[in-house]
């Protein structure tokens, strides 16, 4: 007679289908969907309809409208008209609407879970236990923020009309991540769901009506990428929030360049899953399952690169193979299904072709043995070995249930392999040694790090990437800030070039103190790179004039090569990020002290160059000294947060420096503007490459001596003088520049934003003149926020 344990091992699950009659009835009553514009159902103006199918069965679910320019126009107009009355409501009143939406979603959790599963192919267990509860949580959390926005974000305004574009992998959750914070902050939205999965957004539209949300506050226009592009290009949209592929993110970056639209990009990833030899291997195996076989691996932050320490590699791979065999692939509506259907044939083909390309390169694929369902779009859970760090499968985002395993020997090697990616969305670290795990978390270039866990999410924590995984955060306090603008930024005024500059390298005009009898010693200001003065590569200089138009001196005419050298020097100075905040503060105080000691020289220089007003120049120097002291004070006080997410979990939101920030200075207030930009950036641990005002570069070049005498390590501040727009474009194109602050005149901003699309560096393009001497405008938290990116580290504890 067989033992019970043998029976248990051989026993199969019976089918446990989730009922979907209610969804079928709901769909039957709506064979053709229109858009949701100004609170009403709206038939497509001209685009017609397209079919939406269930990827698990191929069954037609509905026909959905293809949004055209006229539809986008109507939706944006509705959102714009709704803006003022929505903002006129109190935070408490807005909170009530968000709360009502949360309640309605909660009451329909099962409806939304089943609809999502039918539309997307994800297992019902996941839509029921993960997606929809998180959606509800997001609306409750942000109902709270609506309540608090005025007191917690004083001196801020909503951005305005937000165009929001979401992908198909978590259709309703991505909607929630975008709509809830936007509404809480007082914005109105036009959302475009993904063409494969628009149904839960259309069902959400019905909830908006039921909740009595004022017309036009939420508008939903369905369609494919063309509809998305129309939304991006619409002139009345103030912000684009996009989640999707890095490729489309780049297009959107270029399309919005120079428009003044605020932009948030949540893009792709190739996230490492690092297992050290002291990890709990069984727990790590479950982590892998939650990481790469969750949602068929169609997860932006999927731990798709398994990096395992050599000593435990064979054991872990053995355990993984065994665990893989227990995964049940099949009907997503079956409650015991682990892995459901791939969203569409396009995606299935992409996964297949990438895996084939990997095989051709020599990768070894281990796949689930059980047969796949005959109908529907399925891909088996796959474990790939025999790949190197540079192979296609280790570098490309597959967006499918395909795990690529590699080994490492030392911790340093693990970090190097992990960071060897153009992406930087998430990482998972497994070690029972908290010291090893936290050290790895600090060194990983990723916006989210899970320790001994994977794919944990919560509305209270920010989510978003480093590098080509995009910029901006969704969730938590940091996510909300992206739906607001500092009140001081709301102005129509544009910066102007104060004086034209002749960059031609003609012989210098006679300098004022030229002596008749013997030539004076030449004091052409050089560039400042890596802590040393450097001659410009071009070998040319240009003449700077004073306020009367007389020649005041010459400065080097920097070029592409100089910029490359400066960026290299900045990158080499990475130790600055590891200097204690206290020591960075000390260096800044020393700089302030030395500037004060030379106040008269700077006063005279500024007065001569700018307008002859010595009193104003003295005030500027005084403001510059105070500005540096201000950021010295901040250096050890711009704290991160511990978010209140799950129980028995510490979620640390750390403010980390970007690395090398490029700064293009404005023409106004040449000294105080220069220090107002450089000081916060370096106070937070960044290195900078600065292009000073081309009109007044001598103020910046005089600054070298202060840097030399104030213990600022070489390479932390690099200064390249020359034509701002030309140098700025080269910096914007440079892949080792991690962020850009452009405070020049308008025309340069659009070129910088367009050129930044290469490595998707965030650009802070300031389109307003700043009264730099005023503390209200020229300093404060916004500068520190722009100097840092938030990394959320999740540290669960207990059992
Ligand atoms: P996708 O970029 O093709 O499409 C995303 C959305 O953009 C869709 O709604 C699509 O219609 C729209 N779109 C396409 N072309 C457009 C254009 N030119 N202008 C404007 N909108 C356009 O991505 P996808 O295949 O739907 O989703 C998969 C990608 O999304 C993966 O790369 C994944 O990593 C990423 N993703 C990222 C996150 C994150 O938070 N970082 C979350 C989920 C998915």
């Amino acid at each position: 007679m067989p033992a019970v344990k043998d029976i248990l091992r051989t026993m199969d699950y019976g089918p446990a289908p989730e009922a979907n009659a209610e969804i079928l009835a709901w769909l039957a009553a709506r064979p053709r969907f229109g858009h949701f514009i100004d609170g009403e159902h709206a038939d497509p103006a001209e685009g017609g309809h397209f079919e939406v199918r269930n990827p698990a069965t191929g069954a037609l679910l509905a026909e959905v409208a293809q949004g055209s320019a006229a539809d986008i126009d109507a939706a944006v107009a509705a959102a714009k008209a709704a803006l003022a009355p929505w903002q006129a409501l109190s935070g408490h009143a807005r909170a009530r609407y968000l709360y009502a939406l949360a309640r309605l979603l909660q009451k329909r959790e099962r409806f939304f879970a089943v609809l999502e599963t039918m539309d997307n192919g994800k297992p019902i267990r996941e839509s029921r236990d993960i997606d929809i509860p998180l959606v509800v949580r997001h609306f409750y959390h942000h109902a709270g923020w609506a309540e608090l926005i005025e007191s917690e974000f004083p001196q801020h305004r909503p951005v305005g009309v937000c165009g929001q574009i979401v992908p198909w992998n978590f259709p309703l959750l991505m909607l929630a991540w975008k709509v809830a914070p936007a509404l809480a902050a007082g914005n109105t939205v036009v959302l475009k769901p993904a063409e494969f999965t628009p149904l839960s957004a259309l069902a959400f539209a019905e909830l908006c009506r039921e909740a009595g949300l004022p017309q036009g506050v939420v508008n939903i226009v369905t369609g494919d990428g063309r509809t998305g592009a129309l939304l991006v290009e619409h002139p009345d949209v103030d912000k684009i929030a996009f989640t999707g592929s890095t490729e489309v993110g780049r297009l959107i970056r270029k399309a919005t360049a120079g428009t003044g639209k605020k932009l948030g990009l949540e893009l792709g990833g190739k996230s490492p899953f690092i297992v050290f030899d002291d990890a709990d291997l069984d727990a790590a195996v479950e982590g892998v399952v939650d990481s790469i076989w969750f949602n068929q691996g169609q997860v932006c932050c999927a731990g798709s690169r398994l990096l395992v320490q050599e000593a435990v590699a064979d054991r872990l791979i053995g355990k993984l193979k065994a665990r893989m065999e227990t995964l049940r692939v099949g009907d997503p509506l079956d409650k015991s299904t682990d892995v459901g259907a791939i969203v569409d044939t396009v995606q299935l083909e992409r996964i297949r072709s990438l895996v084939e390309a990997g095989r051709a390169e020599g990768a070894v694929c281990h796949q689930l043995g059980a047969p796949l369902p005959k109908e529907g779009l399925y891909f088996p859970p796959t474990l790939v070995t025999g790949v190197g760090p540079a192979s296609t499968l280790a570098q490309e985002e597959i967006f499918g249930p395909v795990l690529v395993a590699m080994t490492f020997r030392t911790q340093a090697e693990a970090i190097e392999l992990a960071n060897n990616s153009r992406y930087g969305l998430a990482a998972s670290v497994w070690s029972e040694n908290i010291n090893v795990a936290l050290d790895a978390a600090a060194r990983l270039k990723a916006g989210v790090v899970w320790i001994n866990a994977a794919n944990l999410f919560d509305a209270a924590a920010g989510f978003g990437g480093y590098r080509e995984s995009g910029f901006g955060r969704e969730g938590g306090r940091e996510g909300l800030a992206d739906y607001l603008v500092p009140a001081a930024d709301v102005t129509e005024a544009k910066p102007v070039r104060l004086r034209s500059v002749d960059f031609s390298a003609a012989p210098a005009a006679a300098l004022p103190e030229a002596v008749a009898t013997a030539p004076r010693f030449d004091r052409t200001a050089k560039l400042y790179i890596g802590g040393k003065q450097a001659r410009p590569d071009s070998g040319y200089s240009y003449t700077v004039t004073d306020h009367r138009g007389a020649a005041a001196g010459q400065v080097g005419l920097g070029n592409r090569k100089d910029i490359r050298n400066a960026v290299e020097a900045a990158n080499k100075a990475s130790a600055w990020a590891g200097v204690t905040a206290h020591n960075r503060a000390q260096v800044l105080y020393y700089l302030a002290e030395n500037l004060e000691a030379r106040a008269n020289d700077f006063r005279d220089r500024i007065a001569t160059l700018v307008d002859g007003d010595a009193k104003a120049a003295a005030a500027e120097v005084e403001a510059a000294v105070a500005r540096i002291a201000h950021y010295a004070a901040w250096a050890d006080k711009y704290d991160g947060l511990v978010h209140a997410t799950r129980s028995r979990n510490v979620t640390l939101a750390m403010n980390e420096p970007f690395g090398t920030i490029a700064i293009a200075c404005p023409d106004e207030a040449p000294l105080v503007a220069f220090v107002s930009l450089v000081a916060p950036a370096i106070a937070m641990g960044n290195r900078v490459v600065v292009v000073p005002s081309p009109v007044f570069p001598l103020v910046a070049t005089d600054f070298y001596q202060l840097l030399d005498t104030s213990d600022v390590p070489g390479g932390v501040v690099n200064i390249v003088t020359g034509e701002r727009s030309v140098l700025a474009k080269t910096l914007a194109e440079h892949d080792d520049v991690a962020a850009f602050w452009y405070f020049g005149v308008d025309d340069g901003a659009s070129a910088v934003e367009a050129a930044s699309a290469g490595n998707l560096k965030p650009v802070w393009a300031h389109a307003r003149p700043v009264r730099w001497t005023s503390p209200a405008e020229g300093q404060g938290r916004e500068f520190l926020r722009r100097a840092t990116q938030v990394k959320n580290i999740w540290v669960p504890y207990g059992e």
Side-chain angles (χ1 to χ4, degrees):
M1 208 169 98
V4 172
K5 76 173 198 296
D6 295 328
I7 295 174
L8 281 176
R9 200 176 316 123
T10 52
M11 209 166 62
D12 204 358
Y13 294 87
E18 175 70 48
N20 66 350
E22 205 186 318
I23 280 66
L24 291 174
W26 183 79
L27 289 169
R30 297 159 182 78
R32 280 194 153 184
F33 284 89
H35 308 298
F36 178 65
I37 297 175
D38 208 15
E40 304 289 342
H41 166 102
D43 285 326
E46 57 206 33
H49 289 79
F50 60 91
E51 291 181 344
V52 175
R53 291 184 177 272
N54 180 340
T57 62
L60 178 68
L61 295 175
E63 289 189 14
V64 168
Q66 168 68 27
S68 62
D71 300 322
I72 291 288
D73 277 348
V76 173
K80 198 173 172 190
L83 206 50
W86 181 242
Q87 289 174 6
L89 293 179
S90 66
H92 176 70
R94 281 200 301 274
R96 282 174 179 266
Y97 285 108
L98 285 157
Y99 192 82
L101 286 169
R103 284 308 280 262
L104 287 170
L105 283 159
Q106 196 168 34
K107 284 196 278 182
R108 311 280 159 74
E109 273 197 358
R110 193 54 62 94
F111 172 89
F112 276 101
V114 178
L115 178 64
E116 200 76 315
T117 283
M118 290 172 69
D119 200 6
N120 169 279
K122 61 174 67 204
I124 185 69
R125 225 162 27 84
E126 291 176 7
S127 48
R128 184 195 63 200
D129 298 347
I130 299 171
D131 289 50
I132 309 301
L134 278 171
V135 168
V136 172
R137 161 95 181 113
H138 235 79
F139 276 94
Y140 278 130
H141 178 80
H142 285 91
W145 271 123
E147 203 82 62
L148 301 174
I149 206 102
E150 285 151 30
S151 58
E152 289 301 299
F153 289 91
Q155 310 295 319
H156 281 75
R157 304 247 187 290
V159 188
V161 174
C162 299
Q164 307 185 318
I165 299 170
V166 295
W168 43 258
N169 56 347
F170 293 89
L172 193 64
L173 185 57
M174 292 298 106
L175 174 151
W177 282 20
K178 293 202 160 31
V179 171
L183 299 195
N187 302 280
T188 58
V189 309
V190 177
L191 177 120
K192 192 202 82 67
E195 54 272 41
F196 300 150
T197 55
L199 299 179
S200 53
L202 292 165
F204 175 79
E206 295 185 6
L207 289 200
C208 291
R209 287 181 71 154
E210 208 176 324
L213 194 69
Q215 292 183 345
V217 169
V218 169
N219 304 273
I220 292 173
V221 179
T222 52
D224 59 17
R226 292 168 295 174
T227 313
L230 289 165
L231 182 56
V232 168
E233 283 155 19
H234 200 290
D236 287 340
V237 170
D238 302 300
K239 169 178 167 114
I240 291 291
F242 172 78
T243 299
S245 59
T246 294
E247 192 189 346
V248 174
R250 270 203 186 93
L251 292 176
I252 293 178
R253 171 65 289 184
K254 287 184 189 152
T256 52
T259 62
K261 286 189 176 94
K262 200 169 165 144
L263 182 60
L265 297 176
E266 301 280 2
L267 308 176
K270 188 78 187 175
S271 299
F273 187 104
I274 309 170
V275 182
F276 287 100
D277 59 8
D278 62 352
D280 174 342
L281 294 190
D282 293 316
V285 166
E286 291 313 308
V288 169
V289 174
D290 291 344
S291 209
I292 188 68
W293 294 319
F294 165 57
N295 203 29
Q296 296 69 251
Q298 303 166 133
V299 184
C300 51
C301 50
S304 50
R305 284 186 297 148
L306 171 65
L307 305 176
V308 52
Q309 199 150 14
E310 249 177 36
V312 293
D314 289 346
R315 267 173 60 214
L316 184 73
I317 299 286
K319 280 174 184 281
L320 264 176
K321 285 181 179 168
R323 178 66 174 93
M324 204 161 119
E325 286 306 317
T326 68
L327 292 173
R328 294 171 56 87
V329 182
D331 180 7
L333 274 180
D334 191 315
K335 289 173 217 161
S336 52
T337 289
D338 298 307
V339 179
I342 301 295
V343 72
D344 188 86
T345 38
V346 176
Q347 185 60 17
L348 186 59
E349 278 317 309
R350 180 180 153 77
I351 301 170
R352 281 185 181 147
S353 68
L354 274 167
V355 171
E356 280 321 306
R359 277 204 174 103
E361 287 177 11
V364 180
C365 294
H366 179 86
Q367 292 185 316
L368 176 74
L372 298 178
K374 295 208 168 44
E375 260 196 355
L377 310 174
Y378 291 93
F379 194 88
T382 302
L383 170 62
V384 178
T385 53
V387 294
S391 58
T392 307
L393 292 184
Q395 288 294 329
E396 292 294 314
E397 182 183 45
I398 303 170
F399 225 57
V402 183
L403 177 67
V404 180
M406 284 173 281
T407 59
F408 65 88
R409 285 191 182 160
T410 61
Q411 183 166 350
E413 195 192 345
I415 303 301
E416 201 180 314
L417 278 173
N419 287 338
N420 177 18
S421 165
R422 57 199 175 99
Y423 297 113
L425 191 51
S428 183
V429 179
W430 294 75
S431 166
E432 291 297 293
N433 181 336
I434 190 76
N435 188 20
V436 169
L438 281 178
D439 184 58
R443 287 168 200 273
L444 286 166
K445 293 197 184 337
V448 184
V449 180
W450 295 290
I451 292 180
N452 295 327
N455 280 344
L456 299 179
F457 308 101
D458 189 78
F463 182 90
Y466 280 25
R467 309 204 279 196
E468 291 183 34
S469 290
F471 47 79
R473 293 291 177 266
E474 290 188 322
R477 183 180 281 269
E478 56 264 38
L480 205 61
D482 283 336
Y483 280 97
L484 294 162
V485 278
D489 280 6
V490 186
T491 162
E492 293 299 310
K494 304 273 186 210
V496 284
R497 171 156 281 173
L498 290 187
R499 203 183 293 161
S500 66
V501 184
D502 179 6
F503 291 105
S504 61
L511 298 182
E513 321 90 308
V515 191
T517 48
R520 63 193 285 284
F521 290 115
D522 178 53
R523 284 209 58 209
T524 300
K526 301 188 187 70
L527 316 179
Y528 188 70
I529 296 176
K532 295 196 179 68
Q533 299 200 23
R535 282 181 207 290
D537 170 71
S538 66
Y540 291 115
S541 303
Y542 73 95
T543 301
V544 177
T545 53
D546 67 15
H547 73 282
R548 285 184 298 250
Q554 290 203 303
V555 290
L557 194 55
N559 67 10
R560 206 164 249 284
K561 176 85 171 35
D562 300 310
I563 290 291
R564 281 205 294 267
N565 293 342
V567 173
E568 198 181 322
N571 281 344
K572 275 199 193 134
S574 60
W576 180 244
V579 167
T580 64
H582 170 77
N583 285 348
R584 287 201 299 271
Q586 293 299 304
V587 169
L588 282 163
Y589 279 125
Y590 198 10
L591 198 54
E593 189 183 306
N594 284 329
L595 176 58
E596 190 163 71
R598 294 211 30 219
N600 291 348
D601 298 345
F602 275 91
R603 178 200 61 204
D604 295 346
R605 181 63 113 178
I606 294 169
T608 311
L609 292 174
V610 178
D611 56 6
D613 184 344
K615 213 165 141 210
E620 182 174 343
V621 178
E622 203 179 309
V625 173
R627 189 65 35 91
I628 301 172
H630 177 81
Y631 289 111
W634 263 120
D636 59 355
K637 294 173 196 67
Y638 189 61
D639 292 334
L641 291 168
V642 179
H643 287 308
T645 56
R646 301 182 160 209
S647 58
R648 295 194 304 169
N649 182 82
V650 178
T651 308
L652 302 167
M654 314 265 293
N655 295 319
E656 292 198 342
F658 278 96
T660 297
I661 298 185
I663 296 176
C665 294
D667 288 344
E668 63 268 15
L671 177 65
V672 72
F674 176 89
V675 301
S676 299
L677 295 167
V678 170
I682 67 171
M684 294 296 105
N686 298 287
R687 292 83 69 191
V688 295
V689 177
V690 195
V691 179
S693 154
V695 187
F696 306 118
L698 292 170
V699 178
T701 58
D702 287 352
F703 209 81
Y704 303 163
Q705 289 158 15
L706 299 185
L707 294 167
D708 281 342
T709 51
S710 307
D711 293 346
V712 178
V716 171
V717 178
N718 305 277
I719 302 173
V720 181
T721 52
E723 210 165 338
R724 180 173 47 212
S725 53
V726 175
L727 300 176
K729 184 155 178 292
T730 306
L731 277 164
E733 285 163 350
H734 203 301
D735 279 350
D736 289 336
V737 172
F740 203 123
W741 295 0
Y742 187 86
F743 278 71
V745 285
D746 251 358
D747 52 341
S750 54
V752 163
E753 287 185 327
S756 73
N759 70 345
L760 287 163
K761 54 180 76 64
V763 177
W764 185 14
H766 223 263
R768 70 176 172 96
V770 178
R771 281 180 298 140
W772 288 102
T773 46
S774 144
E777 287 193 21
Q779 71 184 29
R781 275 184 170 267
E782 182 64 7
F783 289 81
L784 301 167
R785 196 177 78 82
R786 299 283 189 163
T788 49
Q789 48 191 344
V790 182
K791 175 190 275 180
N792 273 276
I793 304 177
W794 293 67
V795 194
Y797 55 84
E799 301 266 303

